[in-house]
Amino acid sequence: MSRQIILNAFDMNCVTHIVAGTWRHPQSQAVRYKDIEYWTDLAKVLERGLFDGLFIADVLGIYDVYAQGPEAALRAGAQVPVNDPMLVVSAMAAVTEHLGFGVTAATSFEHPYSFARRMSTLDHLTKGRVGWNIVTGYLESAARNHGLDTITPHADRYDIADEYTEVLYKLWEGSWEDDAVGTDPTRTEYADPAKVHPIGHEGRHFRVPGIHLCEPSLQRTPVLYQAGASTRGRQFGAENAEVIFIGAPTKDILREAVADIRARAAAAGRDPYDVKIVNSHVIVTGATETAAQARYDEFRSYTDPQGALALWSGWLGTDLSRFELDAPVEVTDNEFLKSSVEMFGQGQWTLRDFIDAHAINVDGAMSVGGPSQVADELQEWVAETDVDGFNLTNVITPGTFVDIADHVIPELQRRGVYKTEYTEGTLRHKLFGRGPRLPESHRAADYRHVTQEVSR
Amino acid sequence: MSRQIILNAFDMNCVTHIVAGTWRHPQSQAVRYKDIEYWTDLAKVLERGLFDGLFIADVLGIYDVYAQGPEAALRAGAQVPVNDPMLVVSAMAAVTEHLGFGVTAATSFEHPYSFARRMSTLDHLTKGRVGWNIVTGYLESAARNHGLDTITPHADRYDIADEYTEVLYKLWEGSWEDDAVGTDPTRTEYADPAKVHPIGHEGRHFRVPGIHLCEPSLQRTPVLYQAGASTRGRQFGAENAEVIFIGAPTKDILREAVADIRARAAAAGRDPYDVKIVNSHVIVTGATETAAQARYDEFRSYTDPQGALALWSGWLGTDLSRFELDAPVEVTDNEFLKSSVEMFGQGQWTLRDFIDAHAINVDGAMSVGGPSQVADELQEWVAETDVDGFNLTNVITPGTFVDIADHVIPELQRRGVYKTEYTEGTLRHKLFGRGPRLPESHRAADYRHVTQEVSR
């Protein structure tokens, strides 16, 4: 069987996730993000298209770096207002059978004890279809509104994340033995206390002496996603993540990133292919190339440069309002501008040029074309970079995903590189084909000994 | 129109909420608490019966007071394992149109900034059908697992709750003006920054400078529930709650409590009837009195004294394992035992007698009988105590609620004391008939000025 491509749909509980302005497109349903029917409709579209999962981004702050205030972000609806991503999952789970749900949550703002329960609850409710995108939180405004003077420094955030995940692994993997809860319907006791173990965690940042509040869910630990691009972030991902998101604009950049992550995973004692790597990709498609190009032009007419500047300023932590829009800019000190040059070539760029070039293809790669052209391109990305699949940014929602389901996925299926039906079982089993639990080579498996030590 | 009775269904995301042992009854679906279908089925049962709301209790710790360990609670499934209550709401909202959802959350373990977003998200998703049961958390084990040395003292917990709710009211009521988000479908800007205000909260326990992350939901502040029985708790309830839960075993106790709460509400500048008061009540019913009595006997045969002792020890903060089960006990120093004496009369009581007397009617009142007998009793409670309705403890779930929907509610409807259809609109409007928002006399309304001050 040919290598199968992974396709994740990427969305957020707000009107503008990545592409600013297109919520105003007449077909966009983004303003319905507050309605439960938006989410149940979206889930049904994705399951019909056999998408692997819906991945919901999140921030717990606002984009107030641009012009040192939230005004531009509010006007553009740029990730503000933003509702909680976890709370829409159960409604979607009730109307689907196979779709995976990745929810983003930071290790900085909630105690791991209650967070562990939230994820176990979702894993129970979805029957093992939930994933967790581990982020450390990058917005200063999020830290300030949680009572901190400023955001914790980057390296410290990852040290905290190391211990945070350790607490979670102990709770999820080590606290309850598989048969702690009986299954005999005539039993008189619900759980066997001899098989439920306090984790006794005493660390630098957290102290959790007790047992996990939840009985084991199908996956125990949810499927672990991560997107850290820094060296420290990539190291954390290689040690923990089962799916890593990259936003690489060129095949050269992606190939190098993929190789680096697989090498780090191997160095951490894991099979390099136990980490699935997916790259951000925008697909604008239609029945024909002409239709796709027309759709692209139409999308372009709705983009919003001010909203884009608000988002980019937040992502980069740099107030882009200090650049003149039409003056040439130095690219050497700016990751965003540097990556644009790698995409579009050297030249006399202005900030307006960059924003314009990134209007639709914000953070990653893009394919505009009919079914066979897009399929060709996706296959080339896989063949030339060793990437496992794509995290599909929406330009309009759910329209982008409808287009992909209608045009691209059938073409990939014809070529034998995309599943024609879901595998039964949990999200982890669908991705790796080895059952619901993390493999023994994963860091979390170390904490399974909690059970044995205490019970013997 | 006769005074209408409020009926809330009371449940928890676990197998044993209040009545220990009955999860083993063949008709109990409690062991399905992990399945989304359990919750969507329950919601449909309750909406069919025109229940006002489903109220989901919660703890973030375990009952380890009895015999100084969690063993008895684990065996009985007594509120452990326990899943998150918020995460089941959206699935139930998707299959109902009117049922209200009260979720319990403590002011001790999550920062108000992220909690405010969770509740706003639920209010959006349910179209204004969500309530929040404000608790301060009473389990030592919850505090310890959240990194505290011990639980915060009772009075301090309420001081924190005062400030916690202040932060929430500022975010919910004061941050976004009603028309901050446009409604014109052709508008080019999503929100008007001039109408979105940072709350600038600097308090003793919390510092939240920024704006609320969510645009206004229908109710803004969810309907506020509370159950504090202490003087301090009752004062907090009178100042904040719109619905107060009481667990009074006799009409005399309830009458006094109701009068006290209404007097405190009036002293806080509120209409005494702006606080709806509901008492815990167990209803065991059937088509006839004989059928009801048979059901009661059947339920009794499934009760679990050890599970009850685990729960009572946690509620009282007293290890009841130090009492001999069959020796007479002093009742003077123990609230639980005292209330039992008020219910059942003075006498030579043993702990076994108390547990036995409370096996089904754990914490409040009870009616066992056919439709007209139960309806008579409920009407007497209302007439003699000025209570507004009942919080219905389940003995088996959803069976208890099915029985009430099939037998008691039709009888109350015939007597004109129970609605025959839902009122359109939000949960708050359904309860008070004055629209979706808190009245001006409520403490939260003080924080609406945030908007005006900053914007003028």
Side-chain angles (χ1 to χ4, degrees):
Chain A
M1 193 173 70
S2 301
R3 183 171 179 174
Q4 299 293 294
I5 293 175
I6 293 171
L7 294 182
N8 258 307
F10 202 20
D11 200 356
M12 191 165 176
N13 204 342
C14 59
V15 297
T16 299
H17 175 204
I18 298 280
V19 183
T22 47
W23 63 270
R24 301 169 300 187
H25 187 285
Q27 285 171 9
S28 172
Q29 297 291 312
V31 297
R32 292 176 56 226
Y33 78 98
K34 305 177 300 290
D35 299 341
I36 213 157
E37 297 78 12
Y38 168 79
W39 295 98
T40 50
D41 290 350
L42 174 62
K44 286 186 264 189
V45 162
L46 297 176
E47 185 150 290
R48 172 174 73 76
L50 302 184
F51 283 79
D52 291 282
L54 168 64
F55 184 78
I56 311 176
D58 190 37
V59 290
L60 257 166
I62 51 171
Y63 286 75
D64 58 2
V65 175
Y66 183 77
Q68 296 166 54
E71 289 77 9
L74 284 164
R75 285 197 191 93
Q79 303 195 3
V80 62
V82 57
N83 282 355
D84 186 284
M86 282 191 189
L87 295 167
V88 298
V89 171
S90 73
M92 293 192 289
V95 298
T96 55
E97 197 183 335
H98 292 289
L99 186 69
F101 303 102
V103 292
T104 300
T107 52
S108 304
F109 308 121
E110 180 172 19
H111 195 279
Y113 195 65
S114 53
F115 179 72
R117 187 176 74 151
R118 291 196 210 276
M119 294 308 290
S120 292
T121 301
L122 285 184
D123 204 49
H124 278 300
L125 293 173
T126 61
K127 295 196 170 49
R129 290 191 279 148
V130 78
W132 170 35
N133 179 32
I134 311 169
V135 298
T136 64
Y138 54 87
L139 291 177
E140 177 84 22
S141 65
R144 282 200 311 270
N145 284 308
H146 286 83
L148 305 174
D149 284 321
T150 183
I151 196 159
T152 310
H154 185 266
D156 295 350
R157 292 209 305 276
Y158 275 103
D159 289 344
I160 293 169
D162 279 338
E163 191 184 332
Y164 196 96
T165 47
E166 181 183 331
V167 172
L168 293 173
Y169 297 150
K170 287 175 175 173
L171 291 168
W172 287 330
E173 300 287 331
S175 183
W176 291 66
E177 296 185 37
D178 283 344
D179 58 350
V181 175
T183 52
D184 176 359
T186 66
R187 72 194 187 280
T188 57
E189 298 191 344
Y190 189 71
D192 179 352
K195 295 179 174 173
V196 185
H197 310 285
I199 66 166
H201 179 85
E202 289 261 2
R204 203 174 135 213
H205 305 286
F206 305 106
R207 195 165 30 146
V208 180
I211 68 167
H212 187 31
L213 291 171
C214 308
E215 61 185 280
S217 62
L218 282 176
Q219 300 187 123
R220 286 184 176 258
T221 298
V223 174
L224 300 168
Y225 295 75
Q226 200 256 4
S230 66
T231 304
R232 181 73 177 85
R234 205 174 267 181
Q235 185 60 29
F236 179 87
E239 290 169 6
N240 293 277
E242 301 172 85
V243 182
I244 288 186
F245 296 110
I246 299 186
T250 69
K251 291 188 187 116
D252 286 343
I253 294 173
L254 183 58
R255 186 184 311 112
E256 190 185 309
V258 169
D260 179 60
I261 289 166
R262 298 214 195 278
R264 286 174 190 269
R270 304 173 66 193
D271 183 321
Y273 290 88
D274 278 359
V275 183
K276 301 286 189 191
I277 302 171
V278 294
N279 196 40
S280 291
H281 208 103
V282 172
I283 292 174
V284 181
T285 190
T288 63
E289 187 173 348
T290 312
Q293 192 59 51
R295 198 138 172 85
Y296 178 77
D297 294 341
E298 183 189 283
F299 288 159
R300 282 298 302 249
S301 71
Y302 285 95
T303 56
D304 173 2
Q306 289 296 314
L309 287 168
L311 288 170
W312 275 113
S313 295
W315 291 328
L316 300 170
T318 299
D319 178 4
L320 294 175
S321 77
R322 68 191 162 84
F323 294 101
E324 283 291 329
L325 260 180
D326 294 304
V329 288
E330 273 302 323
V331 298
T332 47
D333 64 339
N334 191 309
E335 216 181 300
F336 161 55
L337 304 181
K338 263 193 289 187
S339 78
S340 301
V341 169
E342 293 194 59
M343 281 177 78
F344 302 108
Q346 287 288 350
Q348 195 64 290
W349 289 79
T350 65
L351 187 59
R352 191 189 298 279
D353 294 332
F354 285 113
I355 291 298
D356 198 48
H358 281 286
I360 300 287
N361 174 20
V362 178
D363 172 36
M366 178 167 68
S367 295
V368 180
S372 73
Q373 185 184 347
V374 172
D376 285 349
E377 291 184 19
L378 296 181
Q379 287 191 277
E380 283 163 23
W381 278 86
V382 172
E384 294 175 31
T385 70
D386 193 27
V387 78
D388 296 292
F390 304 94
N391 195 33
L392 300 167
T393 301
N394 75 78
V395 184
I396 61 168
T397 170
T400 293
F401 305 124
V402 173
D403 291 346
I404 293 168
D406 287 347
H407 302 296
V408 177
I409 289 174
E411 178 63 24
L412 293 172
Q413 289 169 327
R414 268 190 291 276
R415 298 176 182 204
V417 295
Y418 201 80
K419 60 187 168 299
T420 53
E421 60 182 1
Y422 284 109
T423 305
E424 292 295 319
T426 64
L427 177 58
R428 179 171 287 117
H429 182 69
K430 286 177 165 74
L431 288 169
F432 296 98
R434 291 181 308 212
R437 302 283 166 83
L438 278 167
E440 279 301 316
S441 55
H442 190 278
R443 177 186 163 216
D446 295 350
Y447 302 106
R448 291 179 184 148
H449 74 277
V450 172
T451 299
Q452 291 147 24
E453 266 179 18
V454 180
S455 64
R456 276 170 194 172
Chain B
M1 193 174 69
S2 301
R3 182 171 181 174
Q4 298 293 294
I5 293 174
I6 294 170
L7 294 183
N8 259 306
F10 203 19
D11 200 357
M12 191 165 175
N13 203 343
C14 58
V15 297
T16 299
H17 174 204
I18 298 283
V19 182
T22 47
W23 64 270
R24 302 170 298 188
H25 188 285
Q27 285 170 9
S28 172
Q29 297 292 311
V31 297
R32 292 176 55 226
Y33 78 97
K34 305 177 300 290
D35 298 341
I36 213 157
E37 297 78 13
Y38 168 80
W39 295 98
T40 51
D41 290 350
L42 174 62
K44 286 186 264 190
V45 162
L46 296 176
E47 185 151 291
R48 172 175 74 76
L50 303 183
F51 283 78
D52 291 283
L54 168 65
F55 184 79
I56 311 176
D58 191 36
V59 289
L60 257 166
I62 51 171
Y63 286 74
D64 58 2
V65 175
Y66 184 76
Q68 297 166 54
E71 289 77 8
L74 284 164
R75 285 197 190 92
Q79 303 195 4
V80 63
V82 58
N83 282 356
D84 187 283
M86 283 191 188
L87 295 167
V88 297
V89 171
S90 73
M92 293 192 290
V95 298
T96 55
E97 197 182 336
H98 291 290
L99 186 68
F101 304 102
V103 291
T104 300
T107 52
S108 304
F109 308 121
E110 180 171 18
H111 195 279
Y113 195 64
S114 53
F115 179 72
R117 187 176 74 150
R118 289 195 211 277
M119 293 309 289
S120 292
T121 301
L122 286 183
D123 204 48
H124 279 299
L125 293 173
T126 62
K127 296 196 167 53
R129 290 190 279 148
V130 79
W132 171 35
N133 179 32
I134 311 170
V135 299
T136 64
Y138 54 86
L139 290 178
E140 178 83 22
S141 65
R144 281 199 312 271
N145 284 307
H146 285 84
L148 304 174
D149 284 322
T150 183
I151 196 159
T152 310
H154 185 267
D156 295 349
R157 292 209 305 275
Y158 275 103
D159 290 344
I160 293 170
D162 278 338
E163 191 184 332
Y164 195 96
T165 48
E166 182 184 329
V167 172
L168 293 173
Y169 296 150
K170 287 175 175 173
L171 291 168
W172 286 331
E173 300 286 332
S175 183
W176 292 65
E177 296 186 36
D178 283 344
D179 57 351
V181 174
T183 52
D184 176 357
T186 66
R187 73 196 187 278
T188 58
E189 299 190 343
Y190 189 71
D192 179 352
K195 295 178 175 173
V196 185
H197 310 286
I199 66 166
H201 179 85
E202 289 261 1
R204 204 175 134 211
H205 304 287
F206 304 106
R207 195 167 28 149
V208 181
I211 67 168
H212 186 30
L213 291 171
C214 306
E215 61 185 281
S217 62
L218 282 175
Q219 299 188 123
R220 287 184 175 258
T221 298
V223 174
L224 300 168
Y225 295 74
Q226 200 256 6
S230 66
T231 305
R232 182 71 177 87
R234 203 174 268 182
Q235 184 60 29
F236 179 87
E239 290 169 8
N240 292 278
E242 302 173 85
V243 182
I244 288 185
F245 296 110
I246 300 185
T250 70
K251 291 189 187 113
D252 287 341
I253 294 174
L254 182 59
R255 186 184 311 111
E256 190 185 308
V258 169
D260 179 59
I261 289 167
R262 298 216 196 277
R264 286 175 190 270
R270 303 173 67 193
D271 182 321
Y273 289 89
D274 278 358
V275 183
K276 301 285 190 192
I277 303 170
V278 294
N279 195 41
S280 290
H281 208 104
V282 172
I283 292 174
V284 181
T285 190
T288 62
E289 186 172 351
T290 312
Q293 191 60 49
R295 199 139 173 84
Y296 178 77
D297 294 341
E298 183 189 281
F299 288 159
R300 283 298 302 249
S301 72
Y302 286 94
T303 56
D304 172 3
Q306 288 297 315
L309 287 167
L311 288 170
W312 275 113
S313 294
W315 291 327
L316 300 170
T318 298
D319 177 5
L320 294 174
S321 77
R322 68 190 162 85
F323 294 99
E324 284 289 330
L325 260 179
D326 293 304
V329 288
E330 272 303 321
V331 298
T332 46
D333 63 340
N334 191 306
E335 217 180 300
F336 161 58
L337 304 180
K338 263 194 288 187
S339 77
S340 301
V341 169
E342 294 195 59
M343 281 177 77
F344 303 107
Q346 288 288 351
Q348 195 64 291
W349 289 80
T350 65
L351 187 59
R352 190 189 299 279
D353 294 333
F354 285 112
I355 290 297
D356 198 48
H358 282 284
I360 299 286
N361 173 21
V362 178
D363 172 37
M366 177 166 68
S367 295
V368 180
S372 72
Q373 185 184 348
V374 173
D376 285 349
E377 290 185 19
L378 296 181
Q379 287 191 276
E380 283 163 24
W381 278 85
V382 172
E384 294 174 31
T385 69
D386 193 27
V387 79
D388 295 291
F390 304 95
N391 195 34
L392 300 167
T393 301
N394 75 77
V395 184
I396 60 167
T397 171
T400 293
F401 305 124
V402 173
D403 290 346
I404 293 167
D406 287 348
H407 302 296
V408 177
I409 289 176
E411 178 63 24
L412 294 172
Q413 288 170 327
R414 269 190 291 277
R415 298 175 182 204
V417 295
Y418 201 78
K419 60 186 167 300
T420 53
E421 59 182 2
Y422 283 109
T423 306
E424 291 296 318
T426 64
L427 176 58
R428 180 172 285 117
H429 182 70
K430 286 176 165 74
L431 287 170
F432 295 98
R434 290 181 309 212
R437 302 282 166 83
L438 278 167
E440 278 302 315
S441 55
H442 189 279
R443 178 185 163 217
D446 295 350
Y447 303 105
R448 290 178 184 150
H449 75 276
V450 172
T451 300
Q452 292 146 25
E453 266 178 18
V454 180
S455 64
R456 277 172 194 170

Short mmCIF file of all heavy atoms in Angstrom, two decimals, chain B residues 300-332:
data_model
loop_
_atom_site.label_atom_id
_atom_site.label_comp_id
_atom_site.label_asym_id
_atom_site.label_seq_id
_atom_site.Cartn_x
_atom_site.Cartn_y
_atom_site.Cartn_z
N ARG B 300 -34.16 0.18 48.56
CA ARG B 300 -33.50 -0.05 49.85
C ARG B 300 -32.58 -1.26 49.80
O ARG B 300 -31.52 -1.27 50.42
CB ARG B 300 -34.55 -0.27 50.95
CG ARG B 300 -35.22 0.98 51.47
CD ARG B 300 -34.22 1.91 52.10
NE ARG B 300 -33.50 1.28 53.19
CZ ARG B 300 -33.63 1.61 54.46
NH1 ARG B 300 -34.45 2.58 54.79
NH2 ARG B 300 -32.94 0.99 55.38
N SER B 301 -33.00 -2.28 49.06
CA SER B 301 -32.21 -3.51 49.05
C SER B 301 -30.87 -3.32 48.34
O SER B 301 -30.00 -4.18 48.43
CB SER B 301 -33.01 -4.64 48.39
OG SER B 301 -33.10 -4.42 46.99
N TYR B 302 -30.70 -2.20 47.63
CA TYR B 302 -29.43 -1.96 46.94
C TYR B 302 -28.52 -0.96 47.65
O TYR B 302 -27.45 -0.65 47.17
CB TYR B 302 -29.70 -1.47 45.50
CG TYR B 302 -30.17 -2.57 44.59
CD1 TYR B 302 -31.52 -2.81 44.38
CD2 TYR B 302 -29.24 -3.40 43.97
CE1 TYR B 302 -31.95 -3.83 43.55
CE2 TYR B 302 -29.65 -4.43 43.13
CZ TYR B 302 -31.01 -4.64 42.92
OH TYR B 302 -31.40 -5.66 42.11
N THR B 303 -28.95 -0.40 48.77
CA THR B 303 -28.13 0.65 49.39
C THR B 303 -26.86 0.08 50.00
O THR B 303 -26.77 -1.12 50.27
CB THR B 303 -28.93 1.44 50.44
OG1 THR B 303 -29.45 0.51 51.41
CG2 THR B 303 -30.07 2.20 49.79
N ASP B 304 -25.90 0.96 50.23
CA ASP B 304 -24.55 0.56 50.59
C ASP B 304 -24.08 1.40 51.78
O ASP B 304 -23.62 2.53 51.60
CB ASP B 304 -23.64 0.76 49.37
CG ASP B 304 -22.16 0.57 49.68
OD1 ASP B 304 -21.82 0.22 50.82
OD2 ASP B 304 -21.36 0.79 48.76
N PRO B 305 -24.19 0.87 53.01
CA PRO B 305 -23.84 1.66 54.19
C PRO B 305 -22.39 2.14 54.19
O PRO B 305 -22.11 3.25 54.63
CB PRO B 305 -24.08 0.68 55.35
CG PRO B 305 -24.99 -0.37 54.81
CD PRO B 305 -24.70 -0.46 53.35
N GLN B 306 -21.46 1.33 53.68
CA GLN B 306 -20.06 1.75 53.68
C GLN B 306 -19.86 2.95 52.75
O GLN B 306 -19.10 3.88 53.05
CB GLN B 306 -19.15 0.59 53.24
CG GLN B 306 -19.02 -0.51 54.29
CD GLN B 306 -18.38 -0.03 55.58
OE1 GLN B 306 -17.38 0.68 55.54
NE2 GLN B 306 -18.97 -0.38 56.71
N GLY B 307 -20.52 2.93 51.62
CA GLY B 307 -20.45 4.08 50.71
C GLY B 307 -21.04 5.32 51.34
O GLY B 307 -20.50 6.43 51.23
N ALA B 308 -22.16 5.13 52.07
CA ALA B 308 -22.78 6.27 52.74
C ALA B 308 -21.85 6.85 53.80
O ALA B 308 -21.72 8.07 53.93
CB ALA B 308 -24.11 5.82 53.37
N LEU B 309 -21.18 5.98 54.54
CA LEU B 309 -20.25 6.48 55.56
C LEU B 309 -19.10 7.26 54.93
O LEU B 309 -18.64 8.26 55.48
CB LEU B 309 -19.72 5.31 56.39
CG LEU B 309 -20.72 4.70 57.37
CD1 LEU B 309 -20.21 3.37 57.91
CD2 LEU B 309 -21.02 5.68 58.51
N ALA B 310 -18.62 6.80 53.77
CA ALA B 310 -17.55 7.51 53.08
C ALA B 310 -18.02 8.91 52.68
O ALA B 310 -17.31 9.90 52.88
CB ALA B 310 -17.09 6.73 51.85
N LEU B 311 -19.22 8.99 52.13
CA LEU B 311 -19.74 10.30 51.72
C LEU B 311 -19.98 11.20 52.93
O LEU B 311 -19.55 12.36 52.94
CB LEU B 311 -21.05 10.12 50.93
CG LEU B 311 -20.91 9.54 49.52
CD1 LEU B 311 -22.28 9.18 48.95
CD2 LEU B 311 -20.21 10.54 48.59
N TRP B 312 -20.66 10.66 53.95
CA TRP B 312 -20.97 11.49 55.12
C TRP B 312 -19.70 11.98 55.81
O TRP B 312 -19.63 13.13 56.28
CB TRP B 312 -21.85 10.73 56.10
CG TRP B 312 -23.30 10.83 55.76
CD1 TRP B 312 -24.12 9.82 55.33
CD2 TRP B 312 -24.12 12.01 55.81
NE1 TRP B 312 -25.38 10.31 55.10
CE2 TRP B 312 -25.41 11.65 55.40
CE3 TRP B 312 -23.87 13.34 56.16
CZ2 TRP B 312 -26.47 12.55 55.32
CZ3 TRP B 312 -24.91 14.27 56.08
CH2 TRP B 312 -26.19 13.87 55.67
N SER B 313 -18.69 11.14 55.86
CA SER B 313 -17.44 11.57 56.50
C SER B 313 -16.83 12.75 55.75
O SER B 313 -16.32 13.69 56.35
CB SER B 313 -16.44 10.40 56.56
OG SER B 313 -16.93 9.38 57.41
N GLY B 314 -16.90 12.70 54.41
CA GLY B 314 -16.40 13.82 53.61
C GLY B 314 -17.23 15.08 53.80
O GLY B 314 -16.69 16.17 53.97
N TRP B 315 -18.55 14.92 53.78
CA TRP B 315 -19.41 16.10 53.93
C TRP B 315 -19.22 16.77 55.29
O TRP B 315 -19.22 17.99 55.40
CB TRP B 315 -20.89 15.71 53.74
CG TRP B 315 -21.23 15.31 52.33
CD1 TRP B 315 -20.67 15.82 51.19
CD2 TRP B 315 -22.19 14.34 51.90
NE1 TRP B 315 -21.22 15.21 50.08
CE2 TRP B 315 -22.16 14.30 50.49
CE3 TRP B 315 -23.08 13.49 52.56
CZ2 TRP B 315 -22.98 13.46 49.72
CZ3 TRP B 315 -23.90 12.65 51.81
CH2 TRP B 315 -23.85 12.64 50.41
N LEU B 316 -19.08 15.92 56.33
CA LEU B 316 -18.96 16.47 57.68
C LEU B 316 -17.53 16.82 58.05
O LEU B 316 -17.30 17.53 59.02
CB LEU B 316 -19.48 15.44 58.70
CG LEU B 316 -20.94 15.02 58.54
CD1 LEU B 316 -21.24 13.83 59.44
CD2 LEU B 316 -21.87 16.19 58.87
N GLY B 317 -16.57 16.32 57.28
CA GLY B 317 -15.18 16.50 57.66
C GLY B 317 -14.84 15.74 58.94
O GLY B 317 -13.93 16.10 59.67
N THR B 318 -15.59 14.68 59.21
CA THR B 318 -15.42 13.89 60.43
C THR B 318 -15.27 12.42 60.05
O THR B 318 -16.11 11.90 59.31
CB THR B 318 -16.67 14.01 61.33
OG1 THR B 318 -16.82 15.37 61.70
CG2 THR B 318 -16.55 13.14 62.57
N ASP B 319 -14.25 11.79 60.54
CA ASP B 319 -14.06 10.37 60.23
C ASP B 319 -15.03 9.53 61.05
O ASP B 319 -14.80 9.27 62.23
CB ASP B 319 -12.60 9.99 60.54
CG ASP B 319 -12.34 8.50 60.30
OD1 ASP B 319 -13.26 7.80 59.81
OD2 ASP B 319 -11.22 8.05 60.59
N LEU B 320 -16.11 9.10 60.41
CA LEU B 320 -17.14 8.35 61.13
C LEU B 320 -16.70 6.92 61.46
O LEU B 320 -17.39 6.22 62.19
CB LEU B 320 -18.45 8.33 60.33
CG LEU B 320 -19.15 9.69 60.15
CD1 LEU B 320 -20.35 9.56 59.22
CD2 LEU B 320 -19.60 10.27 61.50
N SER B 321 -15.52 6.53 60.96
CA SER B 321 -15.05 5.18 61.29
C SER B 321 -14.67 5.09 62.77
O SER B 321 -14.52 4.01 63.33
CB SER B 321 -13.87 4.76 60.42
OG SER B 321 -12.67 5.38 60.83
N ARG B 322 -14.51 6.27 63.42
CA ARG B 322 -14.16 6.22 64.85
C ARG B 322 -15.37 5.92 65.74
O ARG B 322 -15.22 5.65 66.92
CB ARG B 322 -13.44 7.49 65.27
CG ARG B 322 -14.28 8.74 65.27
CD ARG B 322 -13.41 10.00 65.45
NE ARG B 322 -14.12 11.19 65.03
CZ ARG B 322 -14.97 11.87 65.81
NH1 ARG B 322 -15.22 11.48 67.03
NH2 ARG B 322 -15.58 12.95 65.35
N PHE B 323 -16.58 5.96 65.19
CA PHE B 323 -17.75 5.56 65.97
C PHE B 323 -17.98 4.06 65.80
O PHE B 323 -17.84 3.53 64.70
CB PHE B 323 -19.02 6.27 65.49
CG PHE B 323 -19.03 7.76 65.72
CD1 PHE B 323 -18.71 8.64 64.69
CD2 PHE B 323 -19.35 8.28 66.96
CE1 PHE B 323 -18.72 10.01 64.89
CE2 PHE B 323 -19.36 9.66 67.17
CZ PHE B 323 -19.04 10.52 66.15
N GLU B 324 -18.37 3.42 66.87
CA GLU B 324 -18.83 2.03 66.75
C GLU B 324 -20.17 2.05 66.03
O GLU B 324 -21.05 2.86 66.37
CB GLU B 324 -19.04 1.43 68.14
CG GLU B 324 -17.78 1.05 68.86
CD GLU B 324 -17.13 -0.18 68.22
OE1 GLU B 324 -17.85 -1.03 67.68
OE2 GLU B 324 -15.88 -0.26 68.26
N LEU B 325 -20.35 1.17 65.07
CA LEU B 325 -21.59 1.18 64.30
C LEU B 325 -22.84 0.97 65.17
O LEU B 325 -23.87 1.58 64.93
CB LEU B 325 -21.55 0.09 63.22
CG LEU B 325 -21.20 0.52 61.80
CD1 LEU B 325 -21.19 -0.69 60.87
CD2 LEU B 325 -22.17 1.58 61.29
N ASP B 326 -22.71 0.12 66.18
CA ASP B 326 -23.90 -0.25 66.94
C ASP B 326 -23.95 0.29 68.36
O ASP B 326 -24.80 -0.10 69.15
CB ASP B 326 -24.05 -1.78 66.94
CG ASP B 326 -24.36 -2.29 65.53
OD1 ASP B 326 -25.35 -1.81 64.95
OD2 ASP B 326 -23.57 -3.10 65.02
N ALA B 327 -23.02 1.21 68.67
CA ALA B 327 -23.05 1.83 70.00
C ALA B 327 -23.85 3.14 69.93
O ALA B 327 -23.84 3.81 68.90
CB ALA B 327 -21.63 2.10 70.46
N PRO B 328 -24.54 3.50 70.98
CA PRO B 328 -25.27 4.77 70.98
C PRO B 328 -24.28 5.92 70.81
O PRO B 328 -23.16 5.86 71.31
CB PRO B 328 -25.90 4.82 72.38
CG PRO B 328 -25.80 3.45 72.93
CD PRO B 328 -24.64 2.78 72.25
N VAL B 329 -24.69 6.95 70.06
CA VAL B 329 -23.77 8.08 69.84
C VAL B 329 -24.36 9.37 70.40
O VAL B 329 -25.57 9.55 70.45
CB VAL B 329 -23.43 8.28 68.34
CG1 VAL B 329 -22.52 7.19 67.85
CG2 VAL B 329 -24.69 8.36 67.50
N GLU B 330 -23.45 10.22 70.85
CA GLU B 330 -23.81 11.57 71.25
C GLU B 330 -24.12 12.38 70.00
O GLU B 330 -23.35 12.36 69.03
CB GLU B 330 -22.62 12.23 71.97
CG GLU B 330 -22.58 11.98 73.45
CD GLU B 330 -23.86 12.43 74.16
OE1 GLU B 330 -24.42 13.48 73.80
OE2 GLU B 330 -24.30 11.70 75.06
N VAL B 331 -25.20 13.11 70.02
CA VAL B 331 -25.54 13.85 68.80
C VAL B 331 -25.19 15.34 68.89
O VAL B 331 -25.24 16.05 67.90
CB VAL B 331 -27.04 13.73 68.46
CG1 VAL B 331 -27.39 12.28 68.20
CG2 VAL B 331 -27.90 14.32 69.55
N THR B 332 -24.81 15.77 70.08
CA THR B 332 -24.70 17.22 70.27
C THR B 332 -23.65 17.89 69.38
O THR B 332 -23.84 19.03 68.96
CB THR B 332 -24.36 17.55 71.73
OG1 THR B 332 -23.31 16.67 72.15
CG2 THR B 332 -25.58 17.37 72.61
#
